[in-house]
Amino acid sequence: MPLSDLLPVLIGWVIAISSPGPATLAITGAAMEGGRRRGLAMAWGVVAGSALWALVAGLGLGAAMMSHAWILETLRWAGAAYLLFLAWKSARSALRPGSASARLVPEEPFRRTMARGALIHLTNPKALLFWGAIFAVVVPAGAPGWVLWQVGLSCLATSILTFTFMALAFSSRPVARLYLRARRWFDAGFAALFGLAAVKLVTTRLG
């Protein structure tokens, strides 16, 4: 696929993945609360989860999953439950009195943070549907298999760059200082947004 055809797809991809949602909330929250290392771990975990859904969609397994509605429904409710758990954690932090002069959370293993990032994406069946739509719309019918890989890897590379930039930006010192001064307000906002994301996941019709 020529770059002139792929570039508009990647621009639209950046806009889509940068819009407010569970993944971007998790990355910005991890970066502000835990610093650059935790933000990057969360960002790369989200990309890992997205890569798995891309592989599933690219192999045509997404259609098989959609034919078994219970699989998507299980993922939907698991994802909503996890988002509500994140909302509860943020709300509990918001209710904790006082401000902070240093990082508020203890160190967490890099792999564990990555796993949490991947879990956010893997329990969101809309991510699978999104990948399926991208492949269906962008890849011409009858195109060779390498075009599918070109589109998928290009989108994933764009995700890595976008989410890495997001993690670095929100872990910068000015943003960190702002978060530490208004920590409870930020956490209350994250609690509300995670809760809204859970409700949206449950109420949005799949397929």
Side-chain angles (χ1 to χ4, degrees):
M1 178 178 290
L3 182 61
S4 58
D5 292 341
L6 187 58
L7 189 58
V9 175
L10 297 181
I11 293 174
W13 182 265
V14 171
I15 295 172
I17 65 176
S18 300
S19 60
T24 54
L25 285 174
I27 294 168
T28 55
M32 287 192 296
E33 185 183 44
R36 180 175 59 188
R37 186 174 183 275
R38 183 168 295 189
L40 290 174
M42 183 66 71
W44 297 341
V46 168
V47 173
S50 185
L52 183 57
W53 280 139
L55 184 62
V56 169
L59 293 175
L61 300 177
M65 291 180 65
M66 291 181 66
S67 65
H68 296 79
W70 67 269
I71 298 178
L72 293 183
E73 286 300 308
T74 300
L75 286 173
R76 182 212 295 263
W77 287 101
Y82 186 56
L83 291 174
L84 287 175
F85 170 70
L86 295 178
W88 172 77
K89 285 186 63 177
S90 296
R92 187 179 63 175
S93 179
L95 293 173
R96 187 169 60 239
S99 58
S101 57
R103 292 298 182 192
L104 295 171
V105 293
E107 281 296 318
E108 180 180 57
F110 195 89
R111 290 182 180 178
R112 182 176 178 183
T113 305
M114 277 195 68
R116 291 197 294 114
L119 186 62
I120 288 175
H121 237 47
L122 293 175
T123 54
N124 185 359
K126 292 197 296 182
L128 172 61
L129 301 179
F130 186 64
W131 273 109
I134 285 290
F135 289 147
V137 172
V138 175
V139 179
W146 64 265
V147 176
L148 195 69
W149 282 99
Q150 180 191 21
V151 173
L153 291 176
S154 297
C155 289
L156 286 173
T158 304
S159 294
I160 292 174
L161 293 174
T162 303
F163 289 146
T164 296
F165 173 79
M166 190 177 297
L168 294 176
F170 280 90
S171 63
S172 63
R173 288 188 177 183
V175 176
R177 286 195 295 267
L178 176 63
Y179 173 76
L180 292 174
R181 286 197 299 267
R183 188 261 309 170
R184 297 182 71 184
W185 289 102
F186 275 109
D187 287 342
F190 281 125
L193 291 173
F194 275 127
L196 287 174
V199 171
K200 185 176 180 181
L201 182 59
V202 170
T203 56
T204 300
R205 184 175 179 272
L206 299 177

